[in-house]
Amino acid sequence: MARLRLESSAVGISAAVFLSGAVLLGLELVASRVLAPFFGNSIFVWGALIGVVLAGLSIGYWAGGMLADRFPAPQLLLVVLTLGAGATLLIPVVDDPVLEAVVEWDPGPRWNPLVAAVVLFGLPSVILATATPIAVRLRARSLTSLGKTAGRLFAISTAGSIVGTFATAFFLIPAVGTNQLLGMLATGLFIAAGLVALGERMLLAGGALVVLVAASVAASFALAPDEGGRLSGAAAENWSPLYRLRGERQEVAIPPGGFELVYSKNTRYHGLSVVDDGESRHLRFESSFQSGMYLDNPFRTRYEYTDFLQLPLAYNPRARKILFIGLGGGSLQKRMWRDFPDVDQQVVELDPVVRDVAYRYFRLPRSPRVRVTVEDGRRYLQQHDERWDAIVIDAYFSDSLPFHLTTLEFVELARSRLAPGGVIASNLIGAVSGEGSKLFRAMYKTYRAVFPTVVVHPVREQGDDDSALRNLIVVAGDGAAPGQDVLLQRWRERRARSPMAADLTKAIRGRYERLVPTRDVPVLTDDYAPTDSLLFLD
């Protein structure tokens, strides 16, 4: 009987160590989705999270060892796991007030995510890290086998972390909401504590933990993403760190009653939502607006920059085959499908949910003239040697750029896929000069290292100066840049054949004709592309 009890104790403690390791790494991954709406998804955010979790492990291992020596009893492990579950379950309750307070304080682009990570995830990380040294003390039977016991339990904890990482990243985040996932992680810790209680024959504690597991499961269901409902208050704000740091306001005004939430999902890449304001429908990644559509006229231009991305047809009037990297809501593609029936479009979109949302909610036509392939844009170019009359790149998220689509090597690859006379147009977010212009100027310098001709068409609002944050359409090609009058004539001829096409007079006349200084910025390469630093730091 005693041997059986020892074996059940060993199984319960080992299972608890495995689950605590799984939850800790799962929590680190979920934390990125908690911080992203407020601070983006930059290297600063990931550096803060990794550093805080590692600091929690260090402190937790030390504290757990001390506590285990003073209180070498299974009850200590039960308390630690229960406290860890409670701290995890508390995060969905306090995260918005904490994050809003950090934003209000605003200690800087590096410190913002670090402070938030410490406040929200520091304590759970420390608590969960104490579990393994406590388990080692409980399972140690003699000094001669202490090393073996410690190695086995730390190996089990690490194995749990590996499973937690893969399960959270590959399956859970795309399948459930962030808050609901935090509830599920807390439930896992309550179950771990229950397994310890079961192994130690602690019936009263086990009964209490059954109640806590049931309550945590109920909380997880209650935390599921809303179907329908409204986004108002803080949830409706654009907390983009880039716009916040530059003192810019979001382009889309929040209606008095908030936005109607049409659809919401955690994808592999974003917290995605579709919202209506009564007049328009918008696609949001985290809290930033990406695409829009007028509900009463799906083809009417909602965001002006999408018209500017038709400039390749003016720079290369013979363009018939266009490759798009990035889809969003498909505003540009469906407009060109309607206006230019002689143009064949191939779209490459990384996120399958974005593709599905464009079809379902933004009226993207299912047509052989607009084909959508789910793939990374650079990988698609590497795997297909087809030549294009124009390549349009609209894949840069304002707070976190896919750096591999910004580098010299990528631009060279894209150039190799152009037909004679072909051009590349890229939609960037930034300023032409002054504060906030470094990333744009680095990318301009990178394009100039590949193409002899690179021009910029800022999407200006009334009253803007060159230091204002805006969409910047960069057009690059091998031929000399046509004059503005030539471009206007070409576009008039195009509109004569396609009378519903957008008027690009503002886009063409607004071309930036001044010198873009680049001496203080690098050429971006696969080896060195500090896009986050250039984006957020002056």
Side-chain angles (χ1 to χ4, degrees), residues 438-473:
K438 281 190 173 181
L439 178 62
F440 155 68
R441 292 188 292 112
M443 293 188 68
Y444 179 89
K445 186 175 185 178
T446 303
Y447 274 82
R448 282 299 306 270
V450 177
F451 289 97
T453 298
V454 181
V455 295
V456 185
H457 293 262
V459 184
R460 298 180 185 274
E461 299 293 334
Q462 188 172 5
D464 278 355
D465 59 25
D466 289 342
S467 64
L469 193 67
R470 59 167 69 84
N471 293 87
L472 303 171
I473 309 304

Side-chain angles (χ1 to χ4, degrees), residues 23-247:
V23 168
L24 180 57
L25 266 291
L27 184 64
E28 181 179 358
L29 290 170
V30 177
S32 69
R33 292 303 177 96
V34 175
L35 299 188
F38 291 78
F39 307 118
N41 202 23
S42 71
I43 195 68
F44 300 147
V45 171
W46 278 106
L49 291 174
I50 293 170
V52 166
V53 170
L54 289 175
L57 287 171
S58 179
I59 296 169
Y61 288 157
W62 170 77
M66 289 188 61
L67 288 171
D69 285 342
R70 291 194 65 181
F71 309 104
Q75 288 85 349
L76 176 62
L77 186 55
L78 284 182
V79 170
V80 163
L81 293 171
T82 303
L83 286 176
T88 302
L89 200 54
L90 189 63
I91 293 171
V93 178
V94 303
D95 56 358
D96 279 350
V98 167
L99 293 168
E100 290 173 31
V102 174
V103 167
E104 183 69 24
W105 176 28
D106 202 9
R110 290 190 179 99
W111 289 99
N112 281 332
L114 180 58
V115 171
V118 168
V119 175
L120 290 173
F121 304 102
L123 183 60
S125 298
V126 171
I127 293 173
L128 293 178
T130 64
T132 302
I134 292 171
V136 169
R137 180 65 178 83
L138 294 177
R139 292 302 305 150
R141 297 299 174 217
S142 69
L143 288 176
T144 58
S145 62
L146 181 59
K148 179 181 177 181
T149 301
R152 181 175 66 252
L153 288 172
F154 274 96
I156 291 172
S157 175
T158 303
S161 296
I162 294 169
V163 172
T165 298
F166 290 151
T168 304
F170 293 173
F171 304 107
L172 295 177
I173 286 179
V176 300
T178 299
N179 288 338
Q180 185 177 28
L181 185 47
L182 288 167
M184 293 168 63
L185 294 176
T187 302
L189 290 173
F190 283 130
I191 291 173
L195 292 173
V196 174
L198 182 64
E200 299 294 334
R201 304 293 197 272
M202 300 165 64
L203 299 182
L204 184 60
L209 285 163
V210 168
V211 174
L212 289 174
V213 168
S216 185
V217 169
S220 298
F221 279 107
L223 291 168
D226 292 331
E227 293 293 334
R230 304 195 72 82
L231 278 183
S232 58
E237 289 283 352
N238 181 359
W239 294 100
S240 161
L242 179 61
Y243 282 83
R244 192 175 67 248
L245 287 167
R246 306 303 173 203

Side-chain angles (χ1 to χ4, degrees), residues 7 71 247 258 297 353 357 406 425 499:
E7 289 178 353
F71 309 104
N297 185 353
V353 179
V357 163
T406 69

